[in-house]
PDB file of all heavy atoms in Angstrom:
ATOM      1  N   GLY P1258      35.171 -15.309   1.930  1.00 61.00           N
ATOM      2  CA  GLY P1258      35.161 -13.879   1.663  1.00 61.00           C
ATOM      3  C   GLY P1258      34.573 -13.542   0.311  1.00 61.00           C
ATOM      4  O   GLY P1258      33.807 -12.587   0.169  1.00 61.00           O
ATOM      5  N   VAL P1259      34.913 -14.345  -0.700  1.00 68.00           N
ATOM      6  CA  VAL P1259      34.344 -14.122  -2.035  1.00 68.00           C
ATOM      7  C   VAL P1259      32.840 -14.327  -2.020  1.00 68.00           C
ATOM      8  O   VAL P1259      32.075 -13.535  -2.592  1.00 68.00           O
ATOM      9  CB  VAL P1259      35.013 -15.069  -3.057  1.00 68.00           C
ATOM     10  CG1 VAL P1259      34.294 -14.968  -4.407  1.00 68.00           C
ATOM     11  CG2 VAL P1259      36.481 -14.724  -3.203  1.00 68.00           C
ATOM     12  N   MET P1260      32.399 -15.379  -1.351  1.00 69.00           N
ATOM     13  CA  MET P1260      30.962 -15.680  -1.306  1.00 69.00           C
ATOM     14  C   MET P1260      30.182 -14.589  -0.589  1.00 69.00           C
ATOM     15  O   MET P1260      29.125 -14.146  -1.057  1.00 69.00           O
ATOM     16  CB  MET P1260      30.726 -17.033  -0.637  1.00 69.00           C
ATOM     17  CG  MET P1260      31.070 -18.227  -1.490  1.00 69.00           C
ATOM     18  SD  MET P1260      30.471 -19.778  -0.772  1.00 69.00           S
ATOM     19  CE  MET P1260      31.436 -19.828   0.752  1.00 69.00           C
ATOM     20  N   GLN P1261      30.679 -14.138   0.569  1.00 66.00           N
ATOM     21  CA  GLN P1261      29.924 -13.135   1.323  1.00 66.00           C
ATOM     22  C   GLN P1261      29.898 -11.802   0.586  1.00 66.00           C
ATOM     23  O   GLN P1261      28.900 -11.100   0.621  1.00 66.00           O
ATOM     24  CB  GLN P1261      30.480 -12.999   2.745  1.00 66.00           C
ATOM     25  CG  GLN P1261      31.890 -12.454   2.865  1.00 66.00           C
ATOM     26  CD  GLN P1261      31.929 -10.949   2.983  1.00 66.00           C
ATOM     27  OE1 GLN P1261      30.904 -10.317   3.224  1.00 66.00           O
ATOM     28  NE2 GLN P1261      33.112 -10.364   2.791  1.00 66.00           N
ATOM     29  N   ALA P1262      30.993 -11.445  -0.090  1.00 70.00           N
ATOM     30  CA  ALA P1262      31.001 -10.195  -0.850  1.00 70.00           C
ATOM     31  C   ALA P1262      30.011 -10.250  -2.006  1.00 70.00           C
ATOM     32  O   ALA P1262      29.260  -9.295  -2.250  1.00 70.00           O
ATOM     33  CB  ALA P1262      32.413  -9.911  -1.369  1.00 70.00           C
ATOM     34  N   ALA P1263      30.012 -11.389  -2.716  1.00 75.00           N
ATOM     35  CA  ALA P1263      29.086 -11.543  -3.836  1.00 75.00           C
ATOM     36  C   ALA P1263      27.639 -11.555  -3.348  1.00 75.00           C
ATOM     37  O   ALA P1263      26.752 -10.947  -3.961  1.00 75.00           O
ATOM     38  CB  ALA P1263      29.397 -12.834  -4.595  1.00 75.00           C
ATOM     39  N   MET P1264      27.393 -12.226  -2.218  1.00 73.00           N
ATOM     40  CA  MET P1264      26.032 -12.318  -1.697  1.00 73.00           C
ATOM     41  C   MET P1264      25.526 -10.972  -1.213  1.00 73.00           C
ATOM     42  O   MET P1264      24.366 -10.599  -1.446  1.00 73.00           O
ATOM     43  CB  MET P1264      25.987 -13.337  -0.556  1.00 73.00           C
ATOM     44  CG  MET P1264      24.584 -13.752  -0.149  1.00 73.00           C
ATOM     45  SD  MET P1264      23.745 -14.627  -1.487  1.00 73.00           S
ATOM     46  CE  MET P1264      22.120 -14.852  -0.763  1.00 73.00           C
ATOM     47  N   LEU P1265      26.371 -10.216  -0.532  1.00 71.00           N
ATOM     48  CA  LEU P1265      25.962  -8.888  -0.074  1.00 71.00           C
ATOM     49  C   LEU P1265      25.653  -7.969  -1.257  1.00 71.00           C
ATOM     50  O   LEU P1265      24.690  -7.193  -1.226  1.00 71.00           O
ATOM     51  CB  LEU P1265      27.046  -8.272   0.800  1.00 71.00           C
ATOM     52  CG  LEU P1265      27.163  -8.808   2.229  1.00 71.00           C
ATOM     53  CD1 LEU P1265      28.356  -8.186   2.932  1.00 71.00           C
ATOM     54  CD2 LEU P1265      25.884  -8.528   3.010  1.00 71.00           C
ATOM     55  N   GLY P1266      26.476  -8.038  -2.306  1.00 75.00           N
ATOM     56  CA  GLY P1266      26.214  -7.228  -3.490  1.00 75.00           C
ATOM     57  C   GLY P1266      24.913  -7.614  -4.166  1.00 75.00           C
ATOM     58  O   GLY P1266      24.113  -6.751  -4.574  1.00 75.00           O
ATOM     59  N   PHE P1267      24.685  -8.929  -4.271  1.00 78.00           N
ATOM     60  CA  PHE P1267      23.443  -9.409  -4.883  1.00 78.00           C
ATOM     61  C   PHE P1267      22.226  -8.982  -4.075  1.00 78.00           C
ATOM     62  O   PHE P1267      21.219  -8.520  -4.629  1.00 78.00           O
ATOM     63  CB  PHE P1267      23.484 -10.928  -5.004  1.00 78.00           C
ATOM     64  CG  PHE P1267      22.185 -11.550  -5.425  1.00 78.00           C
ATOM     65  CD1 PHE P1267      21.719 -11.415  -6.728  1.00 78.00           C
ATOM     66  CD2 PHE P1267      21.414 -12.259  -4.511  1.00 78.00           C
ATOM     67  CE1 PHE P1267      20.509 -11.977  -7.121  1.00 78.00           C
ATOM     68  CE2 PHE P1267      20.203 -12.823  -4.891  1.00 78.00           C
ATOM     69  CZ  PHE P1267      19.755 -12.684  -6.205  1.00 78.00           C
ATOM     70  N   MET P1268      22.311  -9.102  -2.744  1.00 76.00           N
ATOM     71  CA  MET P1268      21.173  -8.733  -1.907  1.00 76.00           C
ATOM     72  C   MET P1268      20.914  -7.233  -1.929  1.00 76.00           C
ATOM     73  O   MET P1268      19.776  -6.799  -1.786  1.00 76.00           O
ATOM     74  CB  MET P1268      21.413  -9.204  -0.472  1.00 76.00           C
ATOM     75  CG  MET P1268      21.232 -10.700  -0.278  1.00 76.00           C
ATOM     76  SD  MET P1268      19.702 -11.320  -1.045  1.00 76.00           S
ATOM     77  CE  MET P1268      18.472 -10.286  -0.242  1.00 76.00           C
ATOM     78  N   GLY P1269      21.989  -6.445  -2.120  1.00 76.00           N
ATOM     79  CA  GLY P1269      21.764  -5.009  -2.269  1.00 76.00           C
ATOM     80  C   GLY P1269      20.884  -4.706  -3.469  1.00 76.00           C
ATOM     81  O   GLY P1269      19.971  -3.872  -3.401  1.00 76.00           O
ATOM     82  N   LEU P1270      21.127  -5.407  -4.577  1.00 81.00           N
ATOM     83  CA  LEU P1270      20.299  -5.222  -5.770  1.00 81.00           C
ATOM     84  C   LEU P1270      18.871  -5.701  -5.538  1.00 81.00           C
ATOM     85  O   LEU P1270      17.901  -5.055  -5.947  1.00 81.00           O
ATOM     86  CB  LEU P1270      20.925  -5.972  -6.950  1.00 81.00           C
ATOM     87  CG  LEU P1270      22.268  -5.441  -7.458  1.00 81.00           C
ATOM     88  CD1 LEU P1270      22.830  -6.355  -8.548  1.00 81.00           C
ATOM     89  CD2 LEU P1270      22.109  -4.018  -7.999  1.00 81.00           C
ATOM     90  N   VAL P1271      18.717  -6.863  -4.882  1.00 82.00           N
ATOM     91  CA  VAL P1271      17.383  -7.410  -4.636  1.00 82.00           C
ATOM     92  C   VAL P1271      16.579  -6.497  -3.719  1.00 82.00           C
ATOM     93  O   VAL P1271      15.394  -6.232  -3.951  1.00 82.00           O
ATOM     94  CB  VAL P1271      17.484  -8.831  -4.036  1.00 82.00           C
ATOM     95  CG1 VAL P1271      16.111  -9.332  -3.604  1.00 82.00           C
ATOM     96  CG2 VAL P1271      18.101  -9.793  -5.038  1.00 82.00           C
TER      97      VAL P1271
END
Side-chain angles (χ1 to χ4, degrees):
V1259 173
M1260 285 191 296
Q1261 65 90 13
M1264 193 65 184
L1265 284 175
F1267 171 72
M1268 285 313 304
L1270 293 175
V1271 172

